Every structure is written in structure tokens, then in C-alpha cells.
Amino acid sequence: MTVGETSKSSTLKRKPIPIKGPVVKKFKVQTASLDGLPWKSITRPQDTGLDGDDGILELEEVEDVEVVYEETTGGKVVKFNVHERPEHQASHTSEGNEEHGQQTEITDASPESTVFTSKFAFDAKTLLPKWCSYGLHGHLLQTLQNRAFTSPTPIQAKALPIAMSGRDIVGVAETGSGKTLAYGLPILHHILSHPRPPRTKRRLQALILAPTRELALQVSDHLNAFSRSLEVPLKEESDEVDLSSTKNAKGKQKAQNVTSRKNTDHTAASGSPPLVSIAAIVGGMSSQKQRRILNRGVDILVATPGRLWDILEEDDGLTQQIKTTKFLVLDEADRMVEAGHFAEMDNILRLTTRQSREDEIEPEFSPPESSENSSKSPQDTMQTFVFSATLSKDLQRNLKRKSRPKSFKKGKNTPASTLDDLLLRLDFRDTDPEVIDISPEGGVVSSLQESKIECLSTDKDVYLYYFLLRYPGRSLVFLSSIDGIRRLMPLMELLDIKAFPLHSQLEQRQRLKNLDRFKVTPNGVLLATDIAARGLDIPAVDHVIHYQIPRSADVFVHRNGRTARAMRKGFSLLMCAPDERRLVKALLSNVGRQEGDIPEMSVELTLMDKLKTRILLARQIDSQQHKIKKENHERNWIKETADAMEIALDSDFLSGSEDESQPSKFKRKKRNVKTASLKAELNQLLSQPLIARGVSTRYITSGYRPIAHDMVAGDYHETMLGLKKTEAGNDVVAAKKPSKKKREQEEPGEWNGFGS
Ligand SMILES: Nc1ncnc2c1ncn2[C@@H]1O[C@H](COP(=O)(O)OP(=O)(O)OP(=O)(O)O)[C@@H](O)[C@H]1O
């Protein structure tokens, strides 16, 4: 039975279970409450991150449960009869793996904690020489090899030795540089190297805080992908993985049910409890499910502060576990404050503070009282990792300072709601936390090519359309306002551009769905607000376009960070209107850069008039459609209201022929005809190629732009005849810094835009 399914009959038949061998033992039957059922998660594809379930964040199912309705004097009562299976079948039921922290019941009931070793002879020294020196657990090495992560990224190379030696880290590195694994691998290593005692419940080892739901889910997916592919129960240990961590594994129980698989996700068929249980606690999940997940016990909890605090207020057990967690991670720490999580973050951080320090801080928000020993100090060995792509140098210095303010009494040194105040409350156990700042100068990733187009605000649509046609690829267009996205969406649709919106007023489910669609649509366009600016690891984003100027330098850096990830090439285009130039200047100077540092994009101006015609038509159609929709909506509303009030409407209203204030049927018809003809006109234009000036379509070898050669070579542009197929980065003109006077005299060129 899947959550949300309803039963029509009084009894649900359980799914037949394949049983090997002729003997079928009788099931024992036990009655349980809804919460007490052996729920397990439904697997979602690991490689797709947020997708695979149509945007539903969590799905659970339960097997071997009979739903029985009993007539009682108080009415019908529902009962759940759980059929206990013989031992040898239990492994089949555990096939579902944990996703976002959900694992099967047998996880905690497993007779012994299990240590898994490599089945395949894995010569780490030869196969992964660049990872060998960190002493990572053999299974992590094997997973790294499976994923073809042959060498650590610079932040990983710097952070791993420090983290593995037990020290605290403040890590700042460019976007897309692999920060998640920089803190994730040491955590996974610790958990894998310290198997829990037999027959004990998992206890929280690491708390990772992330500012947004999407980022939290992505982090848990990322780490899950690593823990999942570890779950190959194996017969033999490999002597060739010469790592200390592997030695820990010796003598421990070897897993059963060996299945030989190559470099794939093995979880589903392993039939064994997951080695590392990772839960994501974010908004959008039912609290019942969340409690169930947490009650089963998790090793790593990835959470957004708001939702986590909601749960902590009712969950003393989890509060205690957080007090003794081994790792605390703040991912995208600076965004956490921006997102307005200060109060919750502050409360959560207090739980991880040692008692001696906690006494010095007067609580502003009372943390939940624990029924257990509330005065118990947290472990002194907790490691703290703070990571971001943007943490100011001042803050880094302050974080490292040994003499961080000890007192935050109300009225005296009261902290304001700023990142500095919040982070200064972190209780690093390390007296000298290591600051690793390898963020590039000005926040610009080396594989990123930047460019700008200066144009009037009213012309941005045309330039955007030009760019999307000229440089096919996956483009992420950032706008500062949701209204802007709502205005652009219908235009994109009419112009046959596959665009998807992403903003905070969309339901979470729709947001995830649109992200998924964007990921799988070739040449797809995502029109997004800055909720997509941070942390999202969308594969292969070719272009980031700042349609509207970001509100801060940090947002600019993070927006750009959605492309050029993991050393891939990427391109960013800044669209700057005259009245935005001051903002851009200020923004760039914040990161020590100048306006002239960003080169201009060369644009084929001869095509602009044709594109402008299409845009104008699309706008007209959109406006007509909008009017029709509005009228229909109003008419329907009046009709429905009249029906509800049982009022008979005037026949004039119904026919729409007399009342001048109501558009007549005739008028409506005329509007529909006009819209249809505009659409036909636009479609006609869209079906024709755009031909650059100087191209002869009759004699392709003549004209001052002969296209025959390009056609033979196969590098001609399919929608813009006369232009070569090329990448945006190749059309950037060298940066020039004209004097102010000269700039004022400059004319925009052949095309003067809508404003002229
Ligand atoms: N050693 C590695 N080799 C190759 N790819 C890697 C390596 N480490 C991480 N990656 C990949 O690089 C991509 C970016 O990683 P990640 O999301 O951790 O970056 P990030 O630094 O956290 O970015 P942001 O600052 O934008 O959040 C991911 O797709 C990840 O799988």
C-alpha cells in the first residue's frame, strides 16, 4: 500500500512475495498502529537528484499488511494486521533503499551492525593514486572510482587532510568546486569506520544545515549516492585496499546475499541494512513521516533550519542527539541568514554549544527542555565545518579569532541578525579552526567566460531571444521579480522556446517538476528568481543570463556558479540597461572588479529588426489572450455567483448583445479571429529562417556572405543563415574601457531598439 492510496474494499490484499523453495511457512499476525507499520521508502533514481517522483518528496510503502474494518458499537474501526515473515524472507522486503533518510525496519533490528568490504580486488594505490593519501574508507574509494572522480578538487585536496585529522574548517571555494564531498567524505568515512554496536539503533552522527529545501535534498542525494553504492554485501575482503579504515573492517560480519554487479547502484538488491542512513528534513513532507524516519534512527541529518526547529520543539530525543553529534556543517552559511533563518539557526546552534559556553549566552529563544539530562554537555570532539562560495575576509578572520566575544547578554553586545553575529556563536572545539579560502579573485571561476550586453530595458526581450536562438544550449535566466517571469513565460511559449518557470510562488512540487523538465530538455530555458541562485547542481547548464541585475555581489557570484561547475566550461551574460550601470559598477567593485573587466558580446544587429517583429507579434497575441481570459473569467464569475444566489441573469448578459459595458459576442469573436490571425502571422515568421544581411539564398556561393562553404563544412547556423554555428564564448569582444565622454557619444549601432 502506498501512502495516499485509499482502499475501496474492506480488506487489502498484500502483494505476493516471491519465495524461493517449496516450503512456505505460515505468517505470524500482529496488530499495529498506522505509525507502527513497517513503512519503507520507494526508491527514486539516484542520478537525477530531485526528480523521479513527479515532485513528490517522499513516498513510503508497506507490505504484508492487511487492512481490516471491524464493526464496533462506536462504529467502524480500522485495524492493521502485520504478517510477520519467516526470517529468510525478510531480506526480500528490505529491497527498498533509503531515500532522504528512509530505511527499512530491519535497519535497526539487524542482528549485528555490518561492515562491508570490497568484493572486487581494488587496487587503490594504482587506480586512485590521487585519493590514496587521505586514508579514506575503502568503500568510499571504490565509489569515487565508480563515479570516475579520479582526483580530488582543490577544496577537497585542502580540506580532507585537515578534516580527517579531526580539526574544524571554514572553507571558501568557488561555486561547483565539490564542497559537498569536501565535508561529506570525512563524515561518511567516520561513520563507516565506526560501526555501531550490534542491535543498537543508529544515533545521529552529523547535522548538516542548508538554507533551502532544494539544496538540502541535493546534499542528501549527493551523499546518499555515495553511501548507496557502498552497499554491496560481499564475501571477500580485498587485501589490496591498503587503508587503515579497511583494517577496521576485518573480523566483522561479512554480508550475505552476494550479487555480482559492476559499478552500479547496488542498494536495491542488496537486501541488507544501509551502511549510512541519511535523512533530509525539509518542508513539504508530512510530519508523521518525518517522525517515523527519525524514530528509526539516522546517521546523517540534512535539514533546513526552519523545519528542523519545528521538529525539535516536539522531539526531545533528537534534541539530545544533536547535543552530542560528531559533526556540524553549515552549507552556504551566508544564505542561511538571508533566508531569514536567524532565530531557528541560533536555537539549533545553541544545542551544539558546550555547557560552559552556553551559560554565557542568555537565551532569546527558549530551546526545548529535554526530559533526559538537559545539562549534559555535548561532546568535546564535535567537528564544525562551515562552507560557502562567498564568506567575507573579515568574517573569516573573525571566525578564526581566538578571542571571539564570549558574552551576548541582552542589551549589551546584543547581536543583530547578521551572518557575523550568528557565525560568531559557533562553538568551534578547535582552538584554531583552519580557514581555507581558495575562492578566485572577484569570485570568477576560471572556466567561466563572462560577457555583457548593454541595451535599453525595453529591448532586453529581443536580446534575450537573440541569444537563445544564436547559442542553443541549456540556459538559466535570472530575474529579480516573479512578475518578470510571468510576463516572459507566454512570450517564450509563443516563440517556441522551451522555457520553465522557477520561483517561490510556485508550489514545491511544481518547482521540482520544472527543475526536472529543465534538466532533461535539450536547449531548455529556466526562468528563475534567486531561489535557484545558490547551491543547485544542475548538470550541464551552458549559459547563465542575468536578465535583471542581481541585488548583491554574492548573488552575482552564486548565480554565475550554476554554470562552469566541476571545471566544465560555462558562460554568463549580464544584460545591463543604462539605469542599471551604477548598480553594476557598485556590485563589481564589491568584489574588487571594474565594469570594463566584463567584455561585451558581439551581436548580429542586422537580424534584430526581424526578431523585434516576432517579439512585437508575440506581445500582441499575449495581450489579446490575456484580455480574452480576463473577460471569460469575469463572465464565468458572474454566472457562478448568480447560480449560487439563484438569481436569473438578464438574457442580454447571456447573449452579450445589448450591454455596452460587456463585450458582445461579436466583439469576442472578432478578438478571437484577430488573435488567430496574429498567431498565424507569427507562426509563418517562425517557420522561416532568419537571414543575415549579405546572404544570397538563391545563389549560396554569392553575396558578400557566401554560405556554401559553411554548409559543406556543417558549421552553418540552422536558424540564422549567414552565421556560423559557434559557442557564446567565441563571440565576446575584447574588453575596452572607453572614456565617459566617448561612451556618452556612442550610438547603439544599426539597430536603435524599441525605445527609438
Ligand atoms: N573530485 C571530483 N571529481 C569530479 N567531479 C566532482 C568531484 N567532486 C565533486 N564533483 C562534482 O562536482 C559537482 C559540483 O559539486 P558540489 O555541488 O559539491 O559543488 P559546490 O562547491 O558545493 O557548489 P556550490 O557552491 O554551487 O554549492 C557535482 O556534480 C559533483 O558530483
Side-chain angles (χ1 to χ4, degrees), residues 544-583:
V544 161
I545 300 167
H546 306 271
Y547 183 97
Q548 282 162 349
I549 304 299
R551 65 183 186 288
S552 73
D554 285 357
V555 176
F556 182 53
V557 170
H558 284 282
R559 277 183 180 186
N560 280 343
R562 296 319 98 207
T563 184
R565 296 179 70 74
M567 293 315 286
R568 288 191 202 96
K569 275 203 296 187
F571 184 86
S572 124
L573 175 70
L574 185 69
M575 300 183 103
C576 178
D579 56 341
E580 290 170 326
R581 282 190 59 194
R582 260 203 345 201
L583 267 178

Short mmCIF file of all heavy atoms in Angstrom, two decimals, residues 544-583:
data_model
loop_
_atom_site.label_atom_id
_atom_site.label_comp_id
_atom_site.label_asym_id
_atom_site.label_seq_id
_atom_site.Cartn_x
_atom_site.Cartn_y
_atom_site.Cartn_z
N VAL A 544 24.37 31.19 -18.14
CA VAL A 544 23.60 31.90 -17.10
C VAL A 544 23.39 33.30 -17.63
O VAL A 544 24.34 33.96 -18.07
CB VAL A 544 24.37 31.93 -15.77
CG1 VAL A 544 23.83 33.03 -14.86
CG2 VAL A 544 24.28 30.59 -15.06
N ILE A 545 22.14 33.75 -17.64
CA ILE A 545 21.86 35.09 -18.17
C ILE A 545 21.24 35.94 -17.05
O ILE A 545 20.23 35.56 -16.47
CB ILE A 545 20.89 35.00 -19.37
CG1 ILE A 545 21.55 34.15 -20.47
CG2 ILE A 545 20.54 36.39 -19.90
CD1 ILE A 545 20.60 33.72 -21.56
N HIS A 546 21.89 37.04 -16.77
CA HIS A 546 21.34 37.96 -15.77
C HIS A 546 20.43 38.93 -16.51
O HIS A 546 20.87 39.99 -16.96
CB HIS A 546 22.46 38.73 -15.07
CG HIS A 546 23.52 37.85 -14.48
ND1 HIS A 546 23.44 37.36 -13.20
CD2 HIS A 546 24.67 37.36 -14.99
CE1 HIS A 546 24.51 36.62 -12.95
NE2 HIS A 546 25.27 36.60 -14.02
N TYR A 547 19.19 38.56 -16.67
CA TYR A 547 18.23 39.42 -17.37
C TYR A 547 18.01 40.68 -16.53
O TYR A 547 17.90 41.77 -17.06
CB TYR A 547 16.92 38.66 -17.57
CG TYR A 547 15.85 39.41 -18.34
CD1 TYR A 547 15.69 39.20 -19.70
CD2 TYR A 547 15.01 40.32 -17.71
CE1 TYR A 547 14.71 39.88 -20.42
CE2 TYR A 547 14.03 40.99 -18.41
CZ TYR A 547 13.89 40.77 -19.77
OH TYR A 547 12.92 41.44 -20.47
N GLN A 548 17.92 40.48 -15.23
CA GLN A 548 17.90 41.63 -14.33
C GLN A 548 19.12 41.55 -13.42
O GLN A 548 19.56 40.45 -13.08
CB GLN A 548 16.60 41.64 -13.50
CG GLN A 548 15.43 42.17 -14.32
CD GLN A 548 14.07 41.82 -13.74
OE1 GLN A 548 13.94 41.02 -12.82
NE2 GLN A 548 13.04 42.42 -14.31
N ILE A 549 19.61 42.70 -13.04
CA ILE A 549 20.85 42.77 -12.28
C ILE A 549 20.65 42.16 -10.89
O ILE A 549 19.66 42.44 -10.22
CB ILE A 549 21.28 44.26 -12.12
CG1 ILE A 549 21.39 44.92 -13.50
CG2 ILE A 549 22.56 44.41 -11.33
CD1 ILE A 549 22.41 44.28 -14.40
N PRO A 550 21.59 41.32 -10.45
CA PRO A 550 21.45 40.76 -9.10
C PRO A 550 21.56 41.85 -8.05
O PRO A 550 22.19 42.88 -8.28
CB PRO A 550 22.62 39.78 -9.00
CG PRO A 550 23.57 40.16 -10.07
CD PRO A 550 22.79 40.85 -11.14
N ARG A 551 20.98 41.58 -6.89
CA ARG A 551 20.92 42.65 -5.89
C ARG A 551 22.21 42.76 -5.07
O ARG A 551 22.40 43.73 -4.35
CB ARG A 551 19.72 42.47 -4.97
CG ARG A 551 19.76 41.24 -4.12
CD ARG A 551 18.52 41.09 -3.28
NE ARG A 551 18.68 39.96 -2.38
CZ ARG A 551 18.67 38.70 -2.75
NH1 ARG A 551 18.50 38.38 -4.01
NH2 ARG A 551 18.84 37.74 -1.88
N SER A 552 23.08 41.78 -5.15
CA SER A 552 24.35 41.91 -4.42
C SER A 552 25.44 41.13 -5.15
O SER A 552 25.15 40.28 -6.01
CB SER A 552 24.20 41.36 -3.00
OG SER A 552 24.13 39.95 -3.06
N ALA A 553 26.67 41.44 -4.75
CA ALA A 553 27.81 40.78 -5.39
C ALA A 553 27.77 39.27 -5.12
O ALA A 553 28.09 38.47 -5.99
CB ALA A 553 29.10 41.38 -4.86
N ASP A 554 27.35 38.90 -3.91
CA ASP A 554 27.30 37.47 -3.58
C ASP A 554 26.31 36.74 -4.48
O ASP A 554 26.58 35.64 -4.96
CB ASP A 554 26.86 37.27 -2.12
CG ASP A 554 27.99 37.60 -1.17
OD1 ASP A 554 29.09 37.93 -1.67
OD2 ASP A 554 27.77 37.54 0.05
N VAL A 555 25.16 37.36 -4.68
CA VAL A 555 24.15 36.72 -5.53
C VAL A 555 24.70 36.58 -6.95
O VAL A 555 24.49 35.56 -7.62
CB VAL A 555 22.82 37.52 -5.52
CG1 VAL A 555 21.81 36.92 -6.48
CG2 VAL A 555 22.24 37.56 -4.12
N PHE A 556 25.43 37.60 -7.39
CA PHE A 556 26.04 37.57 -8.73
C PHE A 556 26.97 36.35 -8.85
O PHE A 556 26.90 35.57 -9.80
CB PHE A 556 26.81 38.88 -8.95
CG PHE A 556 27.44 39.01 -10.30
CD1 PHE A 556 26.70 38.84 -11.46
CD2 PHE A 556 28.79 39.34 -10.42
CE1 PHE A 556 27.29 38.98 -12.72
CE2 PHE A 556 29.38 39.48 -11.67
CZ PHE A 556 28.64 39.29 -12.81
N VAL A 557 27.82 36.18 -7.84
CA VAL A 557 28.77 35.06 -7.84
C VAL A 557 28.02 33.72 -7.84
O VAL A 557 28.33 32.81 -8.61
CB VAL A 557 29.70 35.15 -6.60
CG1 VAL A 557 30.52 33.88 -6.44
CG2 VAL A 557 30.61 36.36 -6.72
N HIS A 558 27.00 33.63 -7.00
CA HIS A 558 26.27 32.35 -6.90
C HIS A 558 25.44 32.07 -8.16
O HIS A 558 25.34 30.92 -8.58
CB HIS A 558 25.39 32.33 -5.65
CG HIS A 558 26.18 32.10 -4.41
ND1 HIS A 558 26.64 30.86 -4.05
CD2 HIS A 558 26.62 32.94 -3.46
CE1 HIS A 558 27.33 30.96 -2.92
NE2 HIS A 558 27.33 32.22 -2.54
N ARG A 559 24.85 33.11 -8.73
CA ARG A 559 24.11 32.90 -9.98
C ARG A 559 25.06 32.35 -11.04
O ARG A 559 24.78 31.35 -11.69
CB ARG A 559 23.56 34.24 -10.50
CG ARG A 559 22.25 34.69 -9.88
CD ARG A 559 21.87 35.98 -10.59
NE ARG A 559 20.64 36.58 -10.15
CZ ARG A 559 20.11 37.65 -10.74
NH1 ARG A 559 20.70 38.22 -11.77
NH2 ARG A 559 18.97 38.15 -10.30
N ASN A 560 26.22 33.02 -11.19
CA ASN A 560 27.20 32.55 -12.17
C ASN A 560 27.63 31.11 -11.89
O ASN A 560 27.97 30.36 -12.79
CB ASN A 560 28.44 33.45 -12.16
CG ASN A 560 28.22 34.73 -12.93
OD1 ASN A 560 27.29 34.81 -13.73
ND2 ASN A 560 29.06 35.71 -12.71
N GLY A 561 27.59 30.77 -10.61
CA GLY A 561 28.04 29.44 -10.20
C GLY A 561 27.15 28.30 -10.64
O GLY A 561 27.48 27.13 -10.46
N ARG A 562 26.02 28.60 -11.25
CA ARG A 562 25.17 27.50 -11.75
C ARG A 562 25.73 26.94 -13.05
O ARG A 562 25.30 25.90 -13.52
CB ARG A 562 23.72 27.96 -11.97
CG ARG A 562 22.93 28.42 -10.75
CD ARG A 562 23.16 27.58 -9.55
NE ARG A 562 24.15 28.19 -8.67
CZ ARG A 562 24.93 27.52 -7.85
NH1 ARG A 562 24.89 26.22 -7.78
NH2 ARG A 562 25.80 28.16 -7.07
N THR A 563 26.66 27.66 -13.65
CA THR A 563 27.33 27.12 -14.84
C THR A 563 28.82 27.00 -14.51
O THR A 563 29.24 27.37 -13.41
CB THR A 563 27.08 28.02 -16.08
OG1 THR A 563 27.66 27.40 -17.21
CG2 THR A 563 27.64 29.42 -15.91
N ALA A 564 29.59 26.46 -15.42
CA ALA A 564 31.03 26.27 -15.21
C ALA A 564 31.29 25.51 -13.92
O ALA A 564 32.14 25.89 -13.13
CB ALA A 564 31.74 27.62 -15.20
N ARG A 565 30.55 24.44 -13.70
CA ARG A 565 30.73 23.65 -12.48
C ARG A 565 31.68 22.49 -12.73
O ARG A 565 31.75 21.98 -13.83
CB ARG A 565 29.38 23.14 -11.97
CG ARG A 565 28.46 24.28 -11.56
CD ARG A 565 27.13 23.76 -11.09
NE ARG A 565 27.18 23.07 -9.81
CZ ARG A 565 27.32 23.68 -8.64
NH1 ARG A 565 27.45 24.97 -8.59
NH2 ARG A 565 27.34 22.97 -7.53
N ALA A 566 32.36 22.10 -11.71
CA ALA A 566 33.30 20.98 -11.75
C ALA A 566 34.25 21.11 -12.96
O ALA A 566 34.46 20.16 -13.71
CB ALA A 566 32.55 19.65 -11.79
N MET A 567 34.75 22.29 -13.13
CA MET A 567 35.75 22.61 -14.17
C MET A 567 35.21 22.51 -15.61
O MET A 567 35.98 22.54 -16.56
CB MET A 567 37.01 21.74 -14.02
CG MET A 567 37.81 22.01 -12.76
SD MET A 567 38.06 23.79 -12.41
CE MET A 567 39.28 24.20 -13.65
N ARG A 568 33.89 22.41 -15.74
CA ARG A 568 33.34 22.44 -17.11
C ARG A 568 33.30 23.89 -17.57
O ARG A 568 33.30 24.81 -16.76
CB ARG A 568 31.92 21.85 -17.12
CG ARG A 568 31.93 20.36 -16.93
CD ARG A 568 30.56 19.77 -17.22
NE ARG A 568 30.43 18.49 -16.55
CZ ARG A 568 29.86 18.32 -15.37
NH1 ARG A 568 29.33 19.34 -14.75
NH2 ARG A 568 29.80 17.13 -14.82
N LYS A 569 33.20 24.06 -18.89
CA LYS A 569 33.11 25.42 -19.42
C LYS A 569 31.73 26.00 -19.15
O LYS A 569 30.74 25.26 -19.12
CB LYS A 569 33.34 25.40 -20.93
CG LYS A 569 34.81 25.43 -21.31
CD LYS A 569 35.02 25.97 -22.70
CE LYS A 569 34.40 25.09 -23.77
NZ LYS A 569 34.74 25.50 -25.12
N GLY A 570 31.66 27.29 -18.98
CA GLY A 570 30.36 27.92 -18.78
C GLY A 570 30.40 29.36 -19.26
O GLY A 570 31.48 29.93 -19.45
N PHE A 571 29.24 29.92 -19.46
CA PHE A 571 29.17 31.29 -20.00
C PHE A 571 28.13 32.08 -19.22
O PHE A 571 27.05 31.57 -18.91
CB PHE A 571 28.76 31.22 -21.48
CG PHE A 571 28.76 32.56 -22.14
CD1 PHE A 571 29.92 33.08 -22.68
CD2 PHE A 571 27.61 33.32 -22.21
CE1 PHE A 571 29.94 34.33 -23.29
CE2 PHE A 571 27.61 34.57 -22.80
CZ PHE A 571 28.78 35.08 -23.35
N SER A 572 28.47 33.31 -18.91
CA SER A 572 27.49 34.16 -18.21
C SER A 572 27.33 35.48 -18.96
O SER A 572 28.30 36.06 -19.43
CB SER A 572 27.94 34.38 -16.77
OG SER A 572 28.04 35.73 -16.47
N LEU A 573 26.08 35.89 -19.10
CA LEU A 573 25.78 37.13 -19.82
C LEU A 573 25.02 38.08 -18.90
O LEU A 573 24.00 37.71 -18.31
CB LEU A 573 24.90 36.81 -21.05
CG LEU A 573 24.41 38.03 -21.83
CD1 LEU A 573 25.56 38.72 -22.55
CD2 LEU A 573 23.34 37.64 -22.84
N LEU A 574 25.56 39.27 -18.79
CA LEU A 574 24.92 40.29 -17.96
C LEU A 574 24.20 41.26 -18.89
O LEU A 574 24.82 41.85 -19.77
CB LEU A 574 26.01 41.02 -17.18
CG LEU A 574 25.61 42.06 -16.17
CD1 LEU A 574 24.92 41.41 -14.98
CD2 LEU A 574 26.83 42.82 -15.69
N MET A 575 22.89 41.41 -18.73
CA MET A 575 22.15 42.37 -19.55
C MET A 575 21.98 43.65 -18.74
O MET A 575 21.34 43.62 -17.69
CB MET A 575 20.79 41.78 -19.94
CG MET A 575 20.92 40.50 -20.72
SD MET A 575 19.33 39.87 -21.23
CE MET A 575 19.35 40.34 -22.90
N CYS A 576 22.54 44.69 -19.24
CA CYS A 576 22.60 45.91 -18.42
C CYS A 576 21.96 47.09 -19.13
O CYS A 576 22.39 47.49 -20.21
CB CYS A 576 24.08 46.18 -18.11
SG CYS A 576 24.33 47.66 -17.17
N ALA A 577 20.93 47.63 -18.52
CA ALA A 577 20.26 48.82 -19.06
C ALA A 577 21.00 50.06 -18.54
O ALA A 577 21.68 49.98 -17.52
CB ALA A 577 18.81 48.83 -18.62
N PRO A 578 20.84 51.20 -19.24
CA PRO A 578 21.59 52.40 -18.80
C PRO A 578 21.36 52.71 -17.33
O PRO A 578 22.29 53.06 -16.60
CB PRO A 578 21.04 53.50 -19.70
CG PRO A 578 20.54 52.80 -20.92
CD PRO A 578 20.08 51.46 -20.48
N ASP A 579 20.10 52.58 -16.87
CA ASP A 579 19.84 52.94 -15.47
C ASP A 579 20.36 51.87 -14.49
O ASP A 579 20.25 52.04 -13.28
CB ASP A 579 18.34 53.19 -15.25
CG ASP A 579 17.50 52.00 -15.65
OD1 ASP A 579 18.01 51.15 -16.42
OD2 ASP A 579 16.34 51.90 -15.19
N GLU A 580 20.89 50.79 -15.00
CA GLU A 580 21.42 49.75 -14.10
C GLU A 580 22.95 49.82 -13.99
O GLU A 580 23.54 49.07 -13.23
CB GLU A 580 21.02 48.36 -14.61
CG GLU A 580 19.54 48.07 -14.47
CD GLU A 580 19.12 46.79 -15.19
OE1 GLU A 580 19.71 46.48 -16.25
OE2 GLU A 580 18.21 46.12 -14.70
N ARG A 581 23.54 50.70 -14.78
CA ARG A 581 25.00 50.70 -14.83
C ARG A 581 25.64 51.05 -13.50
O ARG A 581 26.66 50.49 -13.12
CB ARG A 581 25.50 51.65 -15.92
CG ARG A 581 25.36 51.01 -17.28
CD ARG A 581 26.03 51.78 -18.35
NE ARG A 581 27.44 51.96 -18.13
CZ ARG A 581 28.17 52.85 -18.82
NH1 ARG A 581 27.59 53.59 -19.71
NH2 ARG A 581 29.45 52.97 -18.59
N ARG A 582 24.98 51.96 -12.79
CA ARG A 582 25.55 52.33 -11.48
C ARG A 582 25.55 51.14 -10.53
O ARG A 582 26.49 50.89 -9.79
CB ARG A 582 24.73 53.47 -10.88
CG ARG A 582 25.43 54.78 -11.11
CD ARG A 582 25.09 55.84 -10.19
NE ARG A 582 23.88 55.61 -9.40
CZ ARG A 582 23.21 56.57 -8.83
NH1 ARG A 582 23.62 57.79 -8.96
NH2 ARG A 582 22.13 56.34 -8.13
N LEU A 583 24.44 50.39 -10.60
CA LEU A 583 24.32 49.19 -9.76
C LEU A 583 25.41 48.18 -10.09
O LEU A 583 26.03 47.61 -9.19
CB LEU A 583 22.97 48.52 -10.04
CG LEU A 583 21.79 48.88 -9.19
CD1 LEU A 583 20.55 48.15 -9.67
CD2 LEU A 583 22.08 48.47 -7.74
#
